[in-house]
Amino acid sequence: MGAIPGKILSQIDYPADLKKLPEDQLALLCKEIRDFLIEETSQNPGHLGSSLGAVELAVAIHYVFDTPYDKLIWDVGHEAYAHKILTGRRDLFHTNRTYGGISGFPKMSESEYDAFGTGHASTSLSAALGMAVASALQGDHDRMHISVIGDAALAGGMAMEALNNAGVSKANLLVILNDNGISIDPNVGAFKDYLARITQEQPVLHTRSNFFEAFNFQYFGPVDGHDIIYLVRRLREIRYIPGPKLLHTITTKGKGFKKAEEEQTIYHAPGLFNKITGELINKEGSSGIPPKFQEVFGRTLVELAKMNDKIIGITPAMPTGSSMNIMMAEMPNRAFDVGIAEQHAVTFAAGLAAQGMIPFCNIYSSFMQRAFDQVIHDVALQKLHVVFCLDRGGLVGEDGSTHHGAYDLAYFRSIPNLTICSPINEEDLRNMMYTAQLPGAGTFVIRYPKGRGVMTDWQRPMEKLNVGTGNKISEGSDIAIVSIGPIGNEVIQATEKLKTKGISAAHYDIRFLKPIDENLLHDIFRKFDKIISVEDGTIIGGLGSAIAEFKADNHYEAQLIRLGIPDRFIEQGSVGELWRECGFDAGGIYDTVLSL
Ligand SMILES: Cc1ncc(C[n+]2csc(CCOP(=O)(O)OP(=O)(O)O)c2C)c(N)n1
């Protein structure tokens, strides 16, 4: 069961209930929402800081506007918890981000109040503009289309493209800039400096044209985004002004919870914490556990960069999450946070590589989807020496369908000139990183998951791998299992368990998806008539498909069973639950073998 809502909040199921409250009760409601959010997320982790900062925005918007008739889109959507609580999901909120529960992001399929699904940044303006144009074409000129967008997301390329497009429309569009001055890590770039400047100088500047006015938006603000009464009044005034308009609100990430205001990066998504003191609760303990892939990546990059002065680090807005912050701290001139700008990050890397540098461009797998063409057109086509490190490869767990790194193996395998690999453990990650920066390595893709692998001797000196060679993990005679990446550790558990049933399964870690180890595959197909492929990625186009193509091309007869993410979107849950659902956890692999 979840937290018990306060007196006012307990009476509000939907915005219609909220509208009945007198204005002087709104501040108290905001406090109750914060208390509720803190209590809920302290036991069931989620995106705390951004949602605490957007409580008044959510209350004011639903108080003033006529949702769901008026369309409301939350950019990224991790800040929309108050919105969820006010739109029919208060009593379900304790299931937030859990298996079978509500999503941590807005979803059209979950509620009519979620006008558009989000999760990736900088999409809300384009979607709201599209809706506004549709309303106008359908003869509805009253409906308002609202995008709430953070200062970091607004600097994303797509949001800028939408501003440019919206400014020449008469769209009934209201952009609410939720400016808390921070991304997950400190916000970066010239635009954030500009926002800070207009916030300080607004009374002077207001007589002159500002950035938004130059884009034909009517600009209002800046206003205190936590002054609920003032917000409500400003929104009422703006409501009937035609055309594109922007309300600049100043908010505090983590508002109302001391620790979250003080340590905004940590409390963006803090995990479990004490709801009174804010202290983090570490369930894992500290000794005897393997390091995170991220930590090994960050430390190894610095080690390599000390040996090879051509190496450069690049992250699009995820320095802490990817551990690029280690290099940024040690070598500030050689590591760059370029903001929420995946496309730019890739072509920026291409430019560096064209001048002889060796960029390690670390991008979360699902965010890399944005930069597919840049990888083809700017990097692979020109055979540039860029190392793409795909963090969060595979099912990521609680963030759900918008964030799973499900498609990378498949979409990259189709691109010529790429070397694609995935380490089974942290030791292998280091060897892959070492191999990738050697002269002539070309464009390299190294894919690894969130979190910890298994205990290995990962601190030993790195060694060069033979590109395109797999590893035999264990001998067997009845069946062969071929895996890629850390999901191979589930295969190891399954093969051990199969032994107790008298089944002898051989296990091969293919390591390189491209070029694939054809010699090894020939050996496997000659020796076995039953072969299973296992990957933590979509079943269409990845390892299983590569082996099926190899089988067809070489006219082998063996039975091939492919395990991977099925051809549908997988929702949220723990990684173990999702692996189970997809049938490639140790138990699923074991069951598959027994069923043959
Ligand atoms: C395309 C994409 N890249 C990166 C992210 C990861 N990400 C989630 S929230 C966030 C920061 C957003 O900052 P801002 O827009 O200022 O909103 P705030 O969290 O401060 O409210 C980032 C980088 C993402 N969701 N989508």
Side-chain angles (χ1 to χ4, degrees), residues 50 76 78 119-121 150-153 178 180 182-184 253 268 317-318 340 342 367 370 403:
S50 306
V76 183
H78 63 314
H120 288 197
D151 47 301
N178 172 16
N180 56 21
I182 184 164
S183 184
I184 296 178
K253 192 159 180 167
H268 177 83
M318 305 308 282
I340 306 179
E342 289 78 11
F367 304 149
R370 295 244 159 136
H403 283 62

PDB file of all heavy atoms in Angstrom, residues 50 76 78 119-121 150-153 178 180 182-184 253 268 317-318 340 342 367 370 403, ligand 1:
ATOM      1  N   SER A  50      12.976  16.476 -10.079  1.00  0.00           N
ATOM      2  CA  SER A  50      12.269  17.245 -11.106  1.00  0.00           C
ATOM      3  C   SER A  50      10.785  17.316 -10.794  1.00  0.00           C
ATOM      4  O   SER A  50      10.136  18.341 -11.030  1.00  0.00           O
ATOM      5  CB  SER A  50      12.473  16.609 -12.483  1.00  0.00           C
ATOM      6  OG  SER A  50      13.836  16.461 -12.740  1.00  0.00           O
ATOM      7  N   VAL A  76      10.162  15.137 -21.541  1.00  0.00           N
ATOM      8  CA  VAL A  76      10.829  14.065 -20.788  1.00  0.00           C
ATOM      9  C   VAL A  76       9.786  13.298 -19.970  1.00  0.00           C
ATOM     10  O   VAL A  76       9.690  12.087 -20.046  1.00  0.00           O
ATOM     11  CB  VAL A  76      11.988  14.532 -19.875  1.00  0.00           C
ATOM     12  CG1 VAL A  76      12.654  13.331 -19.214  1.00  0.00           C
ATOM     13  CG2 VAL A  76      13.032  15.324 -20.647  1.00  0.00           C
ATOM     14  N   HIS A  78       9.574  12.926 -16.731  1.00  0.00           N
ATOM     15  CA  HIS A  78       9.988  12.479 -15.395  1.00  0.00           C
ATOM     16  C   HIS A  78       9.571  13.473 -14.321  1.00  0.00           C
ATOM     17  O   HIS A  78       9.683  13.196 -13.141  1.00  0.00           O
ATOM     18  CB  HIS A  78      11.506  12.289 -15.373  1.00  0.00           C
ATOM     19  CG  HIS A  78      12.255  13.562 -15.623  1.00  0.00           C
ATOM     20  ND1 HIS A  78      11.919  14.435 -16.623  1.00  0.00           N
ATOM     21  CD2 HIS A  78      13.290  14.123 -14.977  1.00  0.00           C
ATOM     22  CE1 HIS A  78      12.726  15.478 -16.596  1.00  0.00           C
ATOM     23  NE2 HIS A  78      13.573  15.304 -15.595  1.00  0.00           N
ATOM     24  N   GLY A 119       9.541  10.637 -22.631  1.00  0.00           N
ATOM     25  CA  GLY A 119      10.587   9.853 -21.981  1.00  0.00           C
ATOM     26  C   GLY A 119      11.938  10.358 -22.483  1.00  0.00           C
ATOM     27  O   GLY A 119      12.868  10.558 -21.724  1.00  0.00           O
ATOM     28  N   HIS A 120      11.998  10.589 -23.776  1.00  0.00           N
ATOM     29  CA  HIS A 120      13.187  11.208 -24.362  1.00  0.00           C
ATOM     30  C   HIS A 120      12.950  12.725 -24.436  1.00  0.00           C
ATOM     31  O   HIS A 120      11.818  13.182 -24.630  1.00  0.00           O
ATOM     32  CB  HIS A 120      13.451  10.655 -25.758  1.00  0.00           C
ATOM     33  CG  HIS A 120      13.946   9.244 -25.734  1.00  0.00           C
ATOM     34  ND1 HIS A 120      14.573   8.652 -26.805  1.00  0.00           N
ATOM     35  CD2 HIS A 120      13.903   8.296 -24.760  1.00  0.00           C
ATOM     36  CE1 HIS A 120      14.893   7.406 -26.487  1.00  0.00           C
ATOM     37  NE2 HIS A 120      14.492   7.165 -25.261  1.00  0.00           N
ATOM     38  N   ALA A 121      14.026  13.471 -24.311  1.00  0.00           N
ATOM     39  CA  ALA A 121      13.904  14.923 -24.169  1.00  0.00           C
ATOM     40  C   ALA A 121      13.626  15.632 -25.483  1.00  0.00           C
ATOM     41  O   ALA A 121      13.924  15.125 -26.564  1.00  0.00           O
ATOM     42  CB  ALA A 121      15.198  15.476 -23.563  1.00  0.00           C
ATOM     43  N   GLY A 150      11.844  21.688 -19.715  1.00  0.00           N
ATOM     44  CA  GLY A 150      12.939  22.145 -18.867  1.00  0.00           C
ATOM     45  C   GLY A 150      13.958  22.955 -19.645  1.00  0.00           C
ATOM     46  O   GLY A 150      14.002  22.921 -20.877  1.00  0.00           O
ATOM     47  N   ASP A 151      14.796  23.663 -18.917  1.00  0.00           N
ATOM     48  CA  ASP A 151      15.793  24.511 -19.568  1.00  0.00           C
ATOM     49  C   ASP A 151      16.804  23.690 -20.363  1.00  0.00           C
ATOM     50  O   ASP A 151      17.266  24.118 -21.420  1.00  0.00           O
ATOM     51  CB  ASP A 151      16.507  25.389 -18.538  1.00  0.00           C
ATOM     52  CG  ASP A 151      16.965  24.618 -17.314  1.00  0.00           C
ATOM     53  OD1 ASP A 151      16.114  24.016 -16.631  1.00  0.00           O
ATOM     54  OD2 ASP A 151      18.180  24.589 -17.044  1.00  0.00           O
ATOM     55  N   ALA A 152      17.140  22.487 -19.897  1.00  0.00           N
ATOM     56  CA  ALA A 152      18.100  21.666 -20.643  1.00  0.00           C
ATOM     57  C   ALA A 152      17.443  21.055 -21.875  1.00  0.00           C
ATOM     58  O   ALA A 152      18.031  21.024 -22.957  1.00  0.00           O
ATOM     59  CB  ALA A 152      18.671  20.567 -19.745  1.00  0.00           C
ATOM     60  N   ALA A 153      16.202  20.604 -21.721  1.00  0.00           N
ATOM     61  CA  ALA A 153      15.520  19.984 -22.857  1.00  0.00           C
ATOM     62  C   ALA A 153      15.213  21.005 -23.946  1.00  0.00           C
ATOM     63  O   ALA A 153      15.212  20.678 -25.133  1.00  0.00           O
ATOM     64  CB  ALA A 153      14.228  19.308 -22.388  1.00  0.00           C
ATOM     65  N   ASN A 178      10.158  25.485 -17.762  1.00  0.00           N
ATOM     66  CA  ASN A 178      10.385  25.126 -16.355  1.00  0.00           C
ATOM     67  C   ASN A 178      11.883  25.244 -16.105  1.00  0.00           C
ATOM     68  O   ASN A 178      12.627  24.282 -16.262  1.00  0.00           O
ATOM     69  CB  ASN A 178       9.854  23.694 -16.165  1.00  0.00           C
ATOM     70  CG  ASN A 178      10.180  23.107 -14.808  1.00  0.00           C
ATOM     71  OD1 ASN A 178      10.551  23.824 -13.875  1.00  0.00           O
ATOM     72  ND2 ASN A 178      10.053  21.789 -14.687  1.00  0.00           N
ATOM     73  N   ASN A 180      14.903  25.475 -14.038  1.00  0.00           N
ATOM     74  CA  ASN A 180      15.515  25.289 -12.719  1.00  0.00           C
ATOM     75  C   ASN A 180      17.034  25.395 -12.808  1.00  0.00           C
ATOM     76  O   ASN A 180      17.740  25.102 -11.844  1.00  0.00           O
ATOM     77  CB  ASN A 180      15.080  23.954 -12.089  1.00  0.00           C
ATOM     78  CG  ASN A 180      15.399  22.769 -12.985  1.00  0.00           C
ATOM     79  OD1 ASN A 180      16.261  22.870 -13.853  1.00  0.00           O
ATOM     80  ND2 ASN A 180      14.728  21.653 -12.777  1.00  0.00           N
ATOM     81  N   ILE A 182      19.221  23.585 -14.081  1.00  0.00           N
ATOM     82  CA  ILE A 182      20.042  22.366 -13.994  1.00  0.00           C
ATOM     83  C   ILE A 182      19.436  21.285 -14.882  1.00  0.00           C
ATOM     84  O   ILE A 182      18.221  21.241 -15.092  1.00  0.00           O
ATOM     85  CB  ILE A 182      20.188  21.886 -12.525  1.00  0.00           C
ATOM     86  CG1 ILE A 182      21.128  20.669 -12.421  1.00  0.00           C
ATOM     87  CG2 ILE A 182      18.852  21.624 -11.847  1.00  0.00           C
ATOM     88  CD1 ILE A 182      21.629  20.366 -11.028  1.00  0.00           C
ATOM     89  N   SER A 183      20.312  20.466 -15.426  1.00  0.00           N
ATOM     90  CA  SER A 183      19.878  19.282 -16.192  1.00  0.00           C
ATOM     91  C   SER A 183      19.868  18.138 -15.173  1.00  0.00           C
ATOM     92  O   SER A 183      19.326  18.323 -14.078  1.00  0.00           O
ATOM     93  CB  SER A 183      20.887  19.071 -17.332  1.00  0.00           C
ATOM     94  OG  SER A 183      20.548  18.029 -18.180  1.00  0.00           O
ATOM     95  N   ILE A 184      20.399  16.963 -15.482  1.00  0.00           N
ATOM     96  CA  ILE A 184      20.608  15.988 -14.400  1.00  0.00           C
ATOM     97  C   ILE A 184      21.881  16.420 -13.675  1.00  0.00           C
ATOM     98  O   ILE A 184      21.916  16.570 -12.459  1.00  0.00           O
ATOM     99  CB  ILE A 184      20.752  14.548 -14.958  1.00  0.00           C
ATOM    100  CG1 ILE A 184      19.467  14.108 -15.638  1.00  0.00           C
ATOM    101  CG2 ILE A 184      21.122  13.594 -13.806  1.00  0.00           C
ATOM    102  CD1 ILE A 184      19.531  12.727 -16.256  1.00  0.00           C
ATOM    103  N   LYS A 253      14.817  22.689  -8.518  1.00  0.00           N
ATOM    104  CA  LYS A 253      14.768  21.230  -8.553  1.00  0.00           C
ATOM    105  C   LYS A 253      14.860  20.700  -7.121  1.00  0.00           C
ATOM    106  O   LYS A 253      15.701  21.146  -6.349  1.00  0.00           O
ATOM    107  CB  LYS A 253      15.947  20.711  -9.393  1.00  0.00           C
ATOM    108  CG  LYS A 253      15.856  19.259  -9.750  1.00  0.00           C
ATOM    109  CD  LYS A 253      16.731  18.972 -10.960  1.00  0.00           C
ATOM    110  CE  LYS A 253      16.651  17.521 -11.326  1.00  0.00           C
ATOM    111  NZ  LYS A 253      17.227  17.266 -12.659  1.00  0.00           N
ATOM    112  N   HIS A 268      18.041  13.591  -8.320  1.00  0.00           N
ATOM    113  CA  HIS A 268      17.269  13.508  -9.574  1.00  0.00           C
ATOM    114  C   HIS A 268      16.498  12.177  -9.563  1.00  0.00           C
ATOM    115  O   HIS A 268      15.311  12.121  -9.838  1.00  0.00           O
ATOM    116  CB  HIS A 268      18.228  13.565 -10.768  1.00  0.00           C
ATOM    117  CG  HIS A 268      17.560  13.419 -12.094  1.00  0.00           C
ATOM    118  ND1 HIS A 268      16.971  14.470 -12.751  1.00  0.00           N
ATOM    119  CD2 HIS A 268      17.374  12.337 -12.899  1.00  0.00           C
ATOM    120  CE1 HIS A 268      16.450  14.048 -13.899  1.00  0.00           C
ATOM    121  NE2 HIS A 268      16.675  12.760 -14.015  1.00  0.00           N
ATOM    122  N   ALA A 317      24.972  15.036 -22.111  1.00  0.00           N
ATOM    123  CA  ALA A 317      24.183  15.333 -20.906  1.00  0.00           C
ATOM    124  C   ALA A 317      24.097  14.222 -19.877  1.00  0.00           C
ATOM    125  O   ALA A 317      23.254  14.300 -18.984  1.00  0.00           O
ATOM    126  CB  ALA A 317      22.764  15.787 -21.282  1.00  0.00           C
ATOM    127  N   MET A 318      24.963  13.198 -19.967  1.00  0.00           N
ATOM    128  CA  MET A 318      24.907  12.140 -18.965  1.00  0.00           C
ATOM    129  C   MET A 318      26.266  11.915 -18.289  1.00  0.00           C
ATOM    130  O   MET A 318      26.706  10.767 -18.156  1.00  0.00           O
ATOM    131  CB  MET A 318      24.431  10.828 -19.616  1.00  0.00           C
ATOM    132  CG  MET A 318      23.122  10.920 -20.358  1.00  0.00           C
ATOM    133  SD  MET A 318      21.756  11.634 -19.429  1.00  0.00           S
ATOM    134  CE  MET A 318      21.299  10.272 -18.406  1.00  0.00           C
ATOM    135  N   ILE A 340      21.948  17.978 -24.131  1.00  0.00           N
ATOM    136  CA  ILE A 340      21.041  16.942 -24.660  1.00  0.00           C
ATOM    137  C   ILE A 340      21.059  17.062 -26.182  1.00  0.00           C
ATOM    138  O   ILE A 340      20.218  17.734 -26.782  1.00  0.00           O
ATOM    139  CB  ILE A 340      19.617  17.096 -24.092  1.00  0.00           C
ATOM    140  CG1 ILE A 340      19.655  17.113 -22.553  1.00  0.00           C
ATOM    141  CG2 ILE A 340      18.731  15.951 -24.580  1.00  0.00           C
ATOM    142  CD1 ILE A 340      18.294  17.294 -21.912  1.00  0.00           C
ATOM    143  N   GLU A 342      22.308  14.371 -28.909  1.00  0.00           N
ATOM    144  CA  GLU A 342      22.954  13.138 -29.354  1.00  0.00           C
ATOM    145  C   GLU A 342      23.462  13.247 -30.788  1.00  0.00           C
ATOM    146  O   GLU A 342      24.546  12.749 -31.120  1.00  0.00           O
ATOM    147  CB  GLU A 342      21.993  11.949 -29.215  1.00  0.00           C
ATOM    148  CG  GLU A 342      21.711  11.532 -27.772  1.00  0.00           C
ATOM    149  CD  GLU A 342      20.712  12.424 -27.046  1.00  0.00           C
ATOM    150  OE1 GLU A 342      20.059  13.263 -27.711  1.00  0.00           O
ATOM    151  OE2 GLU A 342      20.584  12.290 -25.810  1.00  0.00           O
ATOM    152  N   PHE A 367      19.031   6.517 -26.398  1.00  0.00           N
ATOM    153  CA  PHE A 367      19.184   7.886 -26.901  1.00  0.00           C
ATOM    154  C   PHE A 367      19.976   7.904 -28.216  1.00  0.00           C
ATOM    155  O   PHE A 367      19.850   8.828 -29.022  1.00  0.00           O
ATOM    156  CB  PHE A 367      19.848   8.787 -25.864  1.00  0.00           C
ATOM    157  CG  PHE A 367      19.131   8.824 -24.533  1.00  0.00           C
ATOM    158  CD1 PHE A 367      19.830   9.016 -23.346  1.00  0.00           C
ATOM    159  CD2 PHE A 367      17.749   8.662 -24.460  1.00  0.00           C
ATOM    160  CE1 PHE A 367      19.172   9.050 -22.114  1.00  0.00           C
ATOM    161  CE2 PHE A 367      17.087   8.690 -23.234  1.00  0.00           C
ATOM    162  CZ  PHE A 367      17.796   8.882 -22.059  1.00  0.00           C
ATOM    163  N   ARG A 370      18.462   8.419 -31.725  1.00  0.00           N
ATOM    164  CA  ARG A 370      18.333   9.739 -32.333  1.00  0.00           C
ATOM    165  C   ARG A 370      19.388  10.012 -33.389  1.00  0.00           C
ATOM    166  O   ARG A 370      19.214  10.858 -34.239  1.00  0.00           O
ATOM    167  CB  ARG A 370      18.523  10.800 -31.236  1.00  0.00           C
ATOM    168  CG  ARG A 370      17.468  10.782 -30.211  1.00  0.00           C
ATOM    169  CD  ARG A 370      16.746  12.072 -30.294  1.00  0.00           C
ATOM    170  NE  ARG A 370      15.443  11.942 -29.702  1.00  0.00           N
ATOM    171  CZ  ARG A 370      14.930  12.831 -28.890  1.00  0.00           C
ATOM    172  NH1 ARG A 370      15.616  13.898 -28.574  1.00  0.00           N
ATOM    173  NH2 ARG A 370      13.725  12.656 -28.407  1.00  0.00           N
ATOM    174  N   HIS A 403      13.026   3.678 -22.592  1.00  0.00           N
ATOM    175  CA  HIS A 403      14.446   3.694 -22.247  1.00  0.00           C
ATOM    176  C   HIS A 403      15.177   2.376 -22.489  1.00  0.00           C
ATOM    177  O   HIS A 403      16.405   2.323 -22.326  1.00  0.00           O
ATOM    178  CB  HIS A 403      14.621   4.103 -20.778  1.00  0.00           C
ATOM    179  CG  HIS A 403      14.459   5.578 -20.537  1.00  0.00           C
ATOM    180  ND1 HIS A 403      13.279   6.237 -20.795  1.00  0.00           N
ATOM    181  CD2 HIS A 403      15.325   6.525 -20.092  1.00  0.00           C
ATOM    182  CE1 HIS A 403      13.424   7.524 -20.500  1.00  0.00           C
ATOM    183  NE2 HIS A 403      14.657   7.719 -20.076  1.00  0.00           N
TER     184      HIS A 403
HETATM  185  C1  LIG B   1      17.127  12.349 -25.811  1.00  0.00           C
HETATM  186  C2  LIG B   1      17.411  12.267 -24.347  1.00  0.00           C
HETATM  187  N1  LIG B   1      18.672  12.430 -23.900  1.00  0.00           N
HETATM  188  C3  LIG B   1      18.925  12.342 -22.585  1.00  0.00           C
HETATM  189  C4  LIG B   1      17.934  12.110 -21.686  1.00  0.00           C
HETATM  190  C5  LIG B   1      18.239  11.933 -20.219  1.00  0.00           C
HETATM  191  N2  LIG B   1      17.683  13.010 -19.422  1.00  0.00           N
HETATM  192  C6  LIG B   1      16.526  12.837 -18.739  1.00  0.00           C
HETATM  193  S1  LIG B   1      16.112  14.179 -17.881  1.00  0.00           S
HETATM  194  C7  LIG B   1      17.452  15.025 -18.394  1.00  0.00           C
HETATM  195  C8  LIG B   1      17.669  16.427 -17.932  1.00  0.00           C
HETATM  196  C9  LIG B   1      16.527  17.296 -18.233  1.00  0.00           C
HETATM  197  O1  LIG B   1      16.782  18.570 -17.741  1.00  0.00           O
HETATM  198  P1  LIG B   1      15.692  19.684 -17.880  1.00  0.00           P
HETATM  199  O2  LIG B   1      15.075  19.658 -19.233  1.00  0.00           O
HETATM  200  O3  LIG B   1      16.300  20.960 -17.467  1.00  0.00           O
HETATM  201  O4  LIG B   1      14.542  19.222 -16.875  1.00  0.00           O
HETATM  202  P2  LIG B   1      14.642  19.024 -15.281  1.00  0.00           P
HETATM  203  O5  LIG B   1      14.940  17.596 -15.013  1.00  0.00           O
HETATM  204  O6  LIG B   1      15.703  19.939 -14.780  1.00  0.00           O
HETATM  205  O7  LIG B   1      13.292  19.401 -14.791  1.00  0.00           O
HETATM  206  C10 LIG B   1      18.244  14.236 -19.231  1.00  0.00           C
HETATM  207  C11 LIG B   1      19.522  14.653 -19.822  1.00  0.00           C
HETATM  208  C12 LIG B   1      16.635  11.936 -22.199  1.00  0.00           C
HETATM  209  N3  LIG B   1      15.604  11.671 -21.389  1.00  0.00           N
HETATM  210  N4  LIG B   1      16.407  12.031 -23.510  1.00  0.00           N
END
